[in-house]
Amino acid sequence: MILENKQLYKSYLREFSYPNETNYKNAVRNFFSEEASINVVHPINKIQGSQGYIDKVLKPMMKAFEGLYRSDYIVIGGNYEGNDWITSTGYFAGKMINDWLGMRANNRLVYIRFGEFHRMQNNKCVESYIFYDLPELMMELGIWPLSPSPGYSGHIPGPATHDGLVYGESDPIESSKTLTIVEKMLSKLNTPNKEWYPYWHENMLWYGPAGFGSYIGIKNFENFQVPFESCFQGWTVELSDNNTIIKDFIRVADGNYATNGGWLSVNGKHVKRFLDQEPTNKDVSMRVCDWWRREGNLLVENWVFVDVPDLLLQIDYDLFAKLK
């Protein structure tokens, strides 16, 4: 089914090659179930079904961005805990001619970085998690109200090897190797002696969300990662807290690529200044996702999303209210 899902997704994406409202709507109706559960970053959040996606996501984007065009540079698939998933990341592009989500149009070409995860069942998507790096767009528009990212923020490239569109079948041995390295690395994060170091190439590239920034080289990444982790005490994963499941919904590998995502996958107590916000001592949970590329026995590139507006909202800063 994974190969079949990849071909279905390839057909879906093909309809987004050139702007056409009819093609876009038909593609959405063909791909998403009428009852699909679709989760989008704040302030869109929960929507229902193919028509909900059209009304709450597609139509507003087409109105705001003239010539709305989509380009994916990673597409992979796999099975996690008995569920088939297809996932991708890349950019939308268009001339911003109308306001969108409270962001004032600049009448120029802009880019919107996205990451998507779709659970497939009977040739239809029945559950989705969709990330947009809205702070990156705010910075592009010059309306980001907080301090600049400590690292680079701007247009993020796809894989250096230009082989991220994995529509065919991968060697299961290579996929297993990638997943094992990723899972071992994840288990060593937030350790006092940096046990995650050996899993990364020394000149790795970490493409982080705007507000965090991107970094080249393991030392430069460490200079961001260690202070960031210290902002949140008691990092936990895959726990149930106040009846909320903190758990990945996907963790799969496809050849040299791997991904994971959680619509609440890590949490901790906000104990240090973060994104200009003084400690609140509040427990926060993060919507996050990653894609990794492996070379040999090391991870060399990592694309990361965090729903920063949702995270800020949990520590009493309403990013979209500030825009108003």
Side-chain angles (χ1 to χ4, degrees):
M1 286 301 293
I2 292 172
L3 280 177
E4 186 176 348
N5 290 333
K6 286 181 177 182
Q7 293 310 306
L8 287 169
Y9 199 52
K10 187 176 184 180
S11 298
Y12 171 70
L13 296 181
R14 191 182 297 123
E15 297 299 331
F16 285 83
S17 296
Y18 294 98
N20 183 301
E21 184 173 354
T22 300
N23 288 3
Y24 282 7
K25 290 179 180 178
N26 287 339
V28 168
R29 291 189 180 104
N30 289 335
F31 182 73
F32 290 95
S33 161
E34 292 181 4
E35 303 300 324
S37 172
I38 303 172
N39 304 275
V40 189
V41 291
H42 184 72
I44 300 174
N45 297 300
K46 185 81 170 179
I47 54 181
Q48 197 74 25
S50 53
Q51 192 59 47
Y53 183 87
I54 290 170
D55 293 340
K56 300 291 180 62
V57 177
L58 186 58
K59 281 184 178 179
M61 288 185 75
M62 293 197 70
K63 180 181 178 182
F65 304 103
E66 180 182 86
L68 185 67
Y69 178 90
R70 175 175 174 146
S71 177
D72 297 67
Y73 48 60
I74 296 175
V75 174
I76 60 175
N79 184 282
Y80 182 64
E81 295 185 340
N83 294 308
D84 289 332
W85 290 88
I86 190 78
T87 174
S88 69
T89 185
Y91 273 94
F92 280 102
K95 181 181 178 181
M96 193 172 186
I97 59 173
N98 287 300
D99 297 356
W100 184 54
L101 301 177
M103 292 177 279
R104 183 81 48 119
N106 65 351
N107 209 40
R108 296 174 59 183
L109 169 66
V110 297
Y111 289 89
I112 307 110
R113 188 163 76 108
F114 69 82
E116 298 187 359
F117 298 85
H118 306 291
R119 182 167 65 87
M120 305 298 291
Q121 197 173 81
N122 300 322
N123 297 331
K124 290 282 189 179
C125 170
V126 296
E127 181 181 12
S128 292
Y129 298 92
I130 299 174
F131 292 79
Y132 298 121
D133 195 338
L134 299 179
E136 182 184 279
L137 178 58
M138 291 178 189
M139 291 180 185
E140 197 175 346
L141 296 171
I143 58 172
W144 174 247
L146 300 172
S147 296
S149 301
Y152 165 80
S153 285
H155 198 279
I156 289 174
T161 45
H162 304 286
D163 60 357
L165 302 178
V166 188
Y167 287 118
E169 189 170 9
S170 297
D171 183 342
I173 294 175
E174 293 299 313
S175 298
S176 177
K177 182 177 181 179
T178 303
L179 187 59
T180 296
I181 290 172
V182 165
E183 290 188 325
K184 286 183 177 179
M185 180 275 297
L186 290 174
S187 72
K188 304 301 182 183
L189 288 176
N190 200 28
T191 51
N193 53 351
K194 297 169 291 189
E195 295 174 23
W196 47 271
Y197 250 62
Y199 301 99
W200 292 95
H201 191 281
E202 64 179 1
N203 206 45
M204 52 86 88
L205 277 156
W206 192 82
Y207 305 113
F212 292 33
S214 297
Y215 304 88
I216 188 167
I218 197 163
K219 284 288 186 183
N220 291 318
F221 173 61
E222 176 195 347
N223 290 338
F224 161 76
Q225 179 71 9
V226 173
F228 164 67
E229 288 177 342
S230 73
C231 292
F232 300 94
Q233 187 180 73
W235 284 94
T236 56
V237 297
E238 299 193 356
L239 295 177
S240 178
D241 181 29
N242 297 328
N243 296 318
T244 300
I245 301 299
I246 309 298
K247 187 180 185 302
D248 286 350
F249 58 79
I250 184 175
R251 188 179 291 179
V252 302
D254 199 350
N256 293 331
Y257 290 86
T259 187
N260 83 330
W263 205 251
L264 305 184
S265 68
V266 294
N267 71 350
K269 188 182 295 293
H270 176 219
V271 294
K272 288 187 179 180
R273 184 178 172 85
F274 171 73
L275 289 176
D276 297 347
Q277 308 310 302
E278 297 300 331
T280 61
N281 290 312
K282 289 190 171 185
D283 290 321
V284 300
S285 301
M286 302 183 197
R287 302 167 172 176
V288 301
C289 62
D290 294 75
W291 291 260
W292 294 269
R293 183 175 69 85
R294 171 182 64 85
E295 283 186 9
N297 294 319
L298 297 173
L299 302 172
V300 291
E301 293 184 281
N302 182 194
W303 296 260
V304 185
F305 286 78
V306 175
D307 187 350
V308 171
D310 177 71
L311 177 55
L312 283 169
L313 194 63
Q314 294 178 62
I315 53 176
D316 303 325
Y317 187 90
D318 189 335
L319 186 57
F320 288 91
K322 297 295 181 182
L323 293 184
K324 295 177 183 178

CSV table of all heavy atoms in Angstrom, one decimal, residues 23-46:
chain,number,residue,atom,x,y,z
A,23,ASN,N,-8.7,22.7,-10.7
A,23,ASN,CA,-7.8,21.5,-10.5
A,23,ASN,C,-7.4,21.3,-9.0
A,23,ASN,O,-7.4,20.2,-8.5
A,23,ASN,CB,-6.5,21.7,-11.3
A,23,ASN,CG,-6.7,21.5,-12.8
A,23,ASN,OD1,-7.8,21.3,-13.2
A,23,ASN,ND2,-5.6,21.5,-13.5
A,24,TYR,N,-7.2,22.5,-8.3
A,24,TYR,CA,-6.8,22.4,-6.9
A,24,TYR,C,-8.0,21.8,-6.1
A,24,TYR,O,-7.8,20.9,-5.3
A,24,TYR,CB,-6.5,23.8,-6.4
A,24,TYR,CG,-5.2,24.4,-6.7
A,24,TYR,CD1,-4.3,23.7,-7.6
A,24,TYR,CD2,-4.8,25.6,-6.2
A,24,TYR,CE1,-3.1,24.3,-7.9
A,24,TYR,CE2,-3.5,26.1,-6.5
A,24,TYR,CZ,-2.7,25.5,-7.4
A,24,TYR,OH,-1.5,26.0,-7.7
A,25,LYS,N,-9.2,22.3,-6.3
A,25,LYS,CA,-10.3,21.8,-5.6
A,25,LYS,C,-10.6,20.3,-5.8
A,25,LYS,O,-10.9,19.6,-4.9
A,25,LYS,CB,-11.5,22.7,-5.9
A,25,LYS,CG,-11.5,24.1,-5.3
A,25,LYS,CD,-12.7,24.9,-5.7
A,25,LYS,CE,-12.7,26.3,-5.1
A,25,LYS,NZ,-13.9,27.1,-5.5
A,26,ASN,N,-10.5,19.9,-7.1
A,26,ASN,CA,-10.8,18.6,-7.5
A,26,ASN,C,-9.7,17.7,-6.8
A,26,ASN,O,-10.0,16.5,-6.4
A,26,ASN,CB,-10.8,18.4,-9.0
A,26,ASN,CG,-12.0,18.9,-9.6
A,26,ASN,OD1,-13.0,19.1,-9.0
A,26,ASN,ND2,-11.9,19.2,-10.9
A,27,ALA,N,-8.5,18.1,-6.8
A,27,ALA,CA,-7.4,17.3,-6.2
A,27,ALA,C,-7.6,17.1,-4.7
A,27,ALA,O,-7.5,16.0,-4.2
A,27,ALA,CB,-6.0,18.0,-6.4
A,28,VAL,N,-8.1,18.2,-4.0
A,28,VAL,CA,-8.4,18.0,-2.6
A,28,VAL,C,-9.5,17.1,-2.4
A,28,VAL,O,-9.4,16.2,-1.5
A,28,VAL,CB,-8.7,19.4,-2.0
A,28,VAL,CG1,-9.3,19.3,-0.6
A,28,VAL,CG2,-7.5,20.3,-2.0
A,29,ARG,N,-10.6,17.2,-3.2
A,29,ARG,CA,-11.7,16.3,-3.0
A,29,ARG,C,-11.4,14.8,-3.3
A,29,ARG,O,-11.9,13.9,-2.7
A,29,ARG,CB,-12.9,16.7,-3.9
A,29,ARG,CG,-13.5,18.1,-3.4
A,29,ARG,CD,-14.8,18.4,-4.2
A,29,ARG,NE,-15.3,19.7,-3.8
A,29,ARG,CZ,-15.3,20.8,-4.5
A,29,ARG,NH1,-14.7,20.8,-5.6
A,29,ARG,NH2,-15.8,21.9,-4.0
A,30,ASN,N,-10.5,14.6,-4.3
A,30,ASN,CA,-10.0,13.3,-4.6
A,30,ASN,C,-9.1,12.7,-3.6
A,30,ASN,O,-9.1,11.4,-3.4
A,30,ASN,CB,-9.4,13.2,-6.0
A,30,ASN,CG,-10.3,13.5,-7.1
A,30,ASN,OD1,-11.5,13.2,-7.0
A,30,ASN,ND2,-9.8,14.0,-8.2
A,31,PHE,N,-8.3,13.5,-2.9
A,31,PHE,CA,-7.3,13.0,-2.0
A,31,PHE,C,-7.8,12.8,-0.6
A,31,PHE,O,-7.6,11.8,0.1
A,31,PHE,CB,-6.1,13.9,-2.0
A,31,PHE,CG,-5.0,13.5,-1.2
A,31,PHE,CD1,-4.2,12.4,-1.5
A,31,PHE,CD2,-4.7,14.1,0.0
A,31,PHE,CE1,-3.1,11.9,-0.7
A,31,PHE,CE2,-3.6,13.7,0.9
A,31,PHE,CZ,-2.9,12.6,0.5
A,32,PHE,N,-8.5,13.8,-0.1
A,32,PHE,CA,-9.0,13.8,1.3
A,32,PHE,C,-10.4,13.1,1.4
A,32,PHE,O,-11.2,13.4,0.6
A,32,PHE,CB,-9.1,15.2,1.9
A,32,PHE,CG,-7.8,15.9,2.1
A,32,PHE,CD1,-7.3,16.8,1.2
A,32,PHE,CD2,-7.1,15.7,3.3
A,32,PHE,CE1,-6.1,17.4,1.4
A,32,PHE,CE2,-5.9,16.4,3.6
A,32,PHE,CZ,-5.4,17.2,2.6
A,33,SER,N,-10.6,12.4,2.5
A,33,SER,CA,-11.9,11.9,2.8
A,33,SER,C,-12.8,13.0,3.1
A,33,SER,O,-12.4,14.0,3.7
A,33,SER,CB,-11.8,10.9,3.9
A,33,SER,OG,-13.0,10.7,4.5
A,34,GLU,N,-14.1,12.8,2.9
A,34,GLU,CA,-15.1,13.9,3.3
A,34,GLU,C,-15.1,14.1,4.8
A,34,GLU,O,-15.6,15.1,5.3
A,34,GLU,CB,-16.5,13.5,2.8
A,34,GLU,CG,-16.6,13.5,1.3
A,34,GLU,CD,-18.0,13.2,0.8
A,34,GLU,OE1,-18.9,12.9,1.7
A,34,GLU,OE2,-18.2,13.1,-0.4
A,35,GLU,N,-14.7,13.0,5.5
A,35,GLU,CA,-14.7,13.1,7.0
A,35,GLU,C,-13.3,13.2,7.6
A,35,GLU,O,-13.1,13.0,8.8
A,35,GLU,CB,-15.4,11.9,7.6
A,35,GLU,CG,-16.8,11.7,7.0
A,35,GLU,CD,-17.7,12.8,7.4
A,35,GLU,OE1,-17.5,13.4,8.4
A,35,GLU,OE2,-18.6,13.1,6.5
A,36,ALA,N,-12.3,13.5,6.8
A,36,ALA,CA,-10.9,13.5,7.3
A,36,ALA,C,-10.7,14.5,8.5
A,36,ALA,O,-11.3,15.6,8.5
A,36,ALA,CB,-10.0,13.9,6.1
A,37,SER,N,-9.9,14.1,9.4
A,37,SER,CA,-9.6,14.9,10.5
A,37,SER,C,-8.3,15.7,10.2
A,37,SER,O,-7.2,15.0,10.0
A,37,SER,CB,-9.4,14.1,11.8
A,37,SER,OG,-8.9,14.9,12.8
A,38,ILE,N,-8.4,17.0,10.0
A,38,ILE,CA,-7.2,17.8,9.5
A,38,ILE,C,-6.8,18.8,10.5
A,38,ILE,O,-7.6,19.6,11.0
A,38,ILE,CB,-7.6,18.5,8.2
A,38,ILE,CG1,-8.0,17.4,7.1
A,38,ILE,CG2,-6.4,19.2,7.6
A,38,ILE,CD1,-8.6,18.0,5.9
A,39,ASN,N,-5.5,18.7,10.9
A,39,ASN,CA,-5.0,19.6,12.0
A,39,ASN,C,-3.9,20.5,11.3
A,39,ASN,O,-3.0,20.0,10.7
A,39,ASN,CB,-4.4,18.7,13.1
A,39,ASN,CG,-5.3,17.7,13.7
A,39,ASN,OD1,-6.1,18.1,14.5
A,39,ASN,ND2,-5.3,16.5,13.1
A,40,VAL,N,-4.1,21.8,11.5
A,40,VAL,CA,-3.2,22.8,10.9
A,40,VAL,C,-2.7,23.7,12.0
A,40,VAL,O,-3.4,23.9,13.1
A,40,VAL,CB,-4.0,23.6,9.8
A,40,VAL,CG1,-3.0,24.5,9.1
A,40,VAL,CG2,-4.8,22.7,8.9
A,41,VAL,N,-1.5,24.2,11.8
A,41,VAL,CA,-0.9,25.1,12.9
A,41,VAL,C,-1.8,26.2,13.3
A,41,VAL,O,-2.7,26.6,12.5
A,41,VAL,CB,0.4,25.6,12.4
A,41,VAL,CG1,1.5,24.5,12.4
A,41,VAL,CG2,0.3,26.4,11.1
A,42,HIS,N,-1.6,26.8,14.5
A,42,HIS,CA,-2.3,27.9,15.0
A,42,HIS,C,-2.1,29.1,14.0
A,42,HIS,O,-0.9,29.3,13.6
A,42,HIS,CB,-1.9,28.2,16.4
A,42,HIS,CG,-2.6,29.4,17.0
A,42,HIS,ND1,-3.9,29.3,17.4
A,42,HIS,CD2,-2.3,30.6,17.3
A,42,HIS,CE1,-4.3,30.4,18.0
A,42,HIS,NE2,-3.3,31.3,17.9
A,43,PRO,N,-3.1,29.9,13.7
A,43,PRO,CA,-4.4,30.0,14.2
A,43,PRO,C,-5.5,29.2,13.5
A,43,PRO,O,-6.7,29.5,13.8
A,43,PRO,CB,-4.7,31.5,14.2
A,43,PRO,CG,-4.0,31.9,12.9
A,43,PRO,CD,-2.8,31.1,12.8
A,44,ILE,N,-5.1,28.4,12.6
A,44,ILE,CA,-6.2,27.6,11.8
A,44,ILE,C,-6.7,26.4,12.7
A,44,ILE,O,-7.9,26.3,12.9
A,44,ILE,CB,-5.6,27.1,10.5
A,44,ILE,CG1,-5.2,28.3,9.6
A,44,ILE,CG2,-6.7,26.3,9.8
A,44,ILE,CD1,-4.5,27.9,8.3
A,45,ASN,N,-5.8,25.6,13.2
A,45,ASN,CA,-6.1,24.5,14.1
A,45,ASN,C,-7.0,23.4,13.4
A,45,ASN,O,-6.7,23.1,12.3
A,45,ASN,CB,-6.6,25.1,15.4
A,45,ASN,CG,-5.6,25.9,16.1
A,45,ASN,OD1,-4.5,25.5,16.4
A,45,ASN,ND2,-5.9,27.2,16.3
A,46,LYS,N,-8.0,23.0,14.1
A,46,LYS,CA,-8.8,21.8,13.7
A,46,LYS,C,-9.8,22.2,12.6
A,46,LYS,O,-10.6,23.1,12.8
A,46,LYS,CB,-9.5,21.3,14.9
A,46,LYS,CG,-10.2,20.0,14.7
A,46,LYS,CD,-9.3,18.8,14.7
A,46,LYS,CE,-10.0,17.5,14.7
A,46,LYS,NZ,-9.1,16.3,14.8
